[in-house]
């Protein structure tokens, strides 16, 4: 079996998955059509753009999160271990010479703009916890989307179309679950016996 890890920068954006007699036979990108008998859709919030034309519609919705990243500079009071405020759902993580403060959940469709109020909350939280941080005006804001499902469980496994698999909808835990999900899919596709029971995560079971 040969496989292509689909990277937009190399192959162009994926536009369509072709099927004949309910079996995958190609993927169509901006630049070419690539013959394929197996395809894993792992496109987070964009997954439905290629699934919908095949008659599959997943309940995945973008839940917007924010982060502020502060330079450590010469500050010697910077934390060295991650911290979390479970009440306010905000985490503070040291990333080398930067500190990242991340959290919040906002329903804003696909609007990527930075809501100044939410960014302000992250800044205020950071400065409350570390009042000795030397430059209260520093910090760069960022926003990204969590591909959430209503039950918080990702979609993993087969679809009614032969050769078409799902690995999407990991919500706020996509990094945590990425290796396990990838391995479970690899086992399923290659026919190996996996450790993970996918019951409850498949399309057919929901
Ligand atoms: C503020 C914030 C903090 C978070 N913190 C954590 C954390 O601490 N721990 C944790 O486990 N998770 C965390 N997450 C969640 C995590 O980021 C997501 O669950 C994860 O990114 C989902 O991964 P994914 O690959 O399924 O989707 P995405 O990361 O959305 O990746 C989808 C990919 O598909 C590509 N794509 C889309 N359309 C096309 C197309 N047409 N053709 C080709 N490629 C396409 C996109 O470019 C993208 O690279 C956080 C999220 C946010 C917003």
């Amino acid at each position: 079996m040969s496989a292509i890890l689909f990277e937009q920068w190399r192959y162009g954006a994926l536009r369509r998955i072709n099927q004949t007699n309910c079996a995958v036979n190609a993927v169509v990108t901006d630049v070419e059509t690539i013959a394929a008998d197996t395809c894993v859709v792992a496109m987070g919030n964009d997954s439905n753009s290629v699934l919908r034309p095949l008659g599959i519609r997943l309940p995945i919705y973008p839940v917007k999160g924010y982060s502020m990243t502060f330079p450590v500079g010469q500050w010697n009071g910077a934390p060295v271990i991650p911290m979390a405020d479970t009440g306010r759902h905000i985490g503070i993580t040291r990333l080398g010479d930067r500190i990242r403060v991340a959290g919040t959940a906002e329903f804003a469709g696909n609007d990527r703009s930075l809501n100044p109020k939410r960014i302000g909350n992250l800044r205020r939280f950071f400065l409350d916890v570390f009042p000795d941080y030397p430059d209260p005006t520093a910090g760069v804001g960022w926003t990204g989307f969590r591909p959430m499902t209503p039950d918080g469980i990702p979609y993993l496994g087969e679809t009614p179309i032969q050769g078409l698999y799902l690995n999407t909808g990991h919500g706020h835990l996509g990094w945590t679950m990425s290796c396990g999900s990838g391995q479970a899919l690899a086992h399923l596709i290659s026919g190996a016996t996996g450790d993970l029971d996918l019951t409850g995560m498949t399309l057919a079971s929901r």
Side-chain angles (χ1 to χ4, degrees), residues 24 28 43 70 77 79 86 93 96 102 120-121 138 147 190 205:
V24 169
V28 181
M43 288 159 53
F70 297 89
T86 50
T93 312
N121 285 343
S190 64
S205 64

Side-chain angles (χ1 to χ4, degrees), residues 1 4 8 14-16 39 50 56 60 66 95 140 145 147 150 153 161 168 179 199:
M1 180 193 296
I4 294 177
Q8 272 198 64
L14 178 64
R15 294 300 173 206
R16 203 170 65 239
C39 179
V50 292
I56 298 170
I60 296 178
Y66 287 78
L95 299 169
V140 176
F145 295 120
I153 296 173
I161 296 174
T168 187
C179 296
T199 311

Side-chain angles (χ1 to χ4, degrees), residues 6 8 12-15 42-46 49 63 65-67 102-103 142 144-147 167-177:
F6 206 90
Q8 272 198 64
L14 178 64
R15 294 300 173 206
M43 288 159 53
N45 286 302
D46 294 317
S49 66
V63 176
Y66 287 78
S67 74
W142 171 88
F145 295 120
R146 306 172 183 93
N167 183 4
T168 187
H170 292 76
H172 64 288
L173 287 174
W175 304 335
T176 311
M177 295 193 279

Side-chain angles (χ1 to χ4, degrees), residues 58-78:
L58 302 180
I60 296 178
Y61 193 82
V63 176
K64 194 171 173 181
Y66 287 78
S67 74
M68 282 288 291
T69 303
F70 297 89
V72 172
Q74 301 306 309
W75 180 40
N76 53 22

